Amino acid sequence: MNTLDKLRPLAAIAEERERWREQGRTVALANGVFDLLHVGHVRYLEGAKALADVLVVAVNSDASTRAYKGPGRPHIPEAERAELVAALSCTDRVVVFNEPNVRIIIRALKPDVHVKGTDYTPDSIPEGDEVRAYGGRTAVAGDPKDHSTTELARRLGREGTK
């Protein structure tokens, strides 16, 4: 599948989700900013993909990134961040979201597993209650937080917040 074909609005992915369910395919949802894509992001997404048949990645919009990370972020515009994430072979679909969290996406897709990075535990994932309410589960994937966009930006001479 072409990289740009992986980028879809939430309603279209929700329709696909129904077909995947009928086919008996499991779905994982991962989310994040993915600003200055680095190996930690790749390991997180590859780990998330290993937990299900289909990986949907929700990428924070520029506005939600600024609200979460501060006015100096993102370094890369949302369309480019989404395209980079879509280009990874482990990623099946990508949606950009503007909300402060992924609850609306969880409600629309009801993923079998919602996956976060290793700065969480399965019990500390903020949207975990939403996932458990319909019988889904939460999981953690990736390597320890040895890589960060903030540190990468500092090394490149571009100070950012958080």
Side-chain angles (χ1 to χ4, degrees):
M1 174 176 279
N2 178 305
T3 296
L4 294 178
D5 290 339
K6 293 181 181 181
L7 304 171
R8 303 274 172 89
L10 181 56
I13 297 173
E15 286 179 18
E16 286 186 294
R17 171 60 169 129
E18 291 308 311
R19 287 192 296 280
W20 296 329
R21 184 177 281 117
E22 291 167 3
Q23 296 165 353
R25 298 174 76 193
T26 57
V27 174
L29 172 67
N31 66 283
V33 174
F34 305 104
D35 200 9
L36 300 180
L37 196 64
H38 55 71
V39 70
H41 294 133
V42 172
R43 291 173 182 167
Y44 162 50
L45 295 176
E46 287 178 338
K49 174 64 176 195
L51 298 172
D53 300 313
V54 176
L55 176 60
V56 176
V57 182
V59 176
N60 289 77
S61 69
D62 291 347
S64 68
T65 299
R66 278 190 295 279
Y68 177 53
K69 298 285 188 176
R73 300 281 299 276
H75 300 292
I76 308 296
E78 66 190 49
E80 293 177 21
R81 291 183 286 116
E83 186 174 343
L84 286 167
V85 169
L88 298 173
S89 62
C90 59
T91 304
D92 296 296
R93 295 292 180 275
V94 175
V95 61
V96 175
F97 71 101
N98 203 37
E99 294 75 25
N101 60 54
V102 291
R103 288 182 185 275
I104 193 167
I105 296 170
I106 290 169
R107 289 177 191 139
L109 300 182
K110 292 188 174 44
D112 298 285
V113 59
H114 179 214
V115 187
K116 295 291 280 182
T118 57
D119 45 343
Y120 293 91
T121 67
D123 293 328
S124 72
I125 293 174
E127 303 87 356
D129 59 332
E130 192 83 42
V131 176
R132 288 185 292 276
Y134 62 80
R137 67 184 180 96
T138 56
V140 171
D143 61 0
K145 281 293 199 177
D146 294 335
H147 309 92
S148 82
T149 296
T150 300
E151 182 55 34
L152 181 57
R154 281 192 188 114
R155 288 193 344 234
L156 294 172
R158 294 185 67 185
E159 291 296 323
T161 59
K162 287 191 189 176

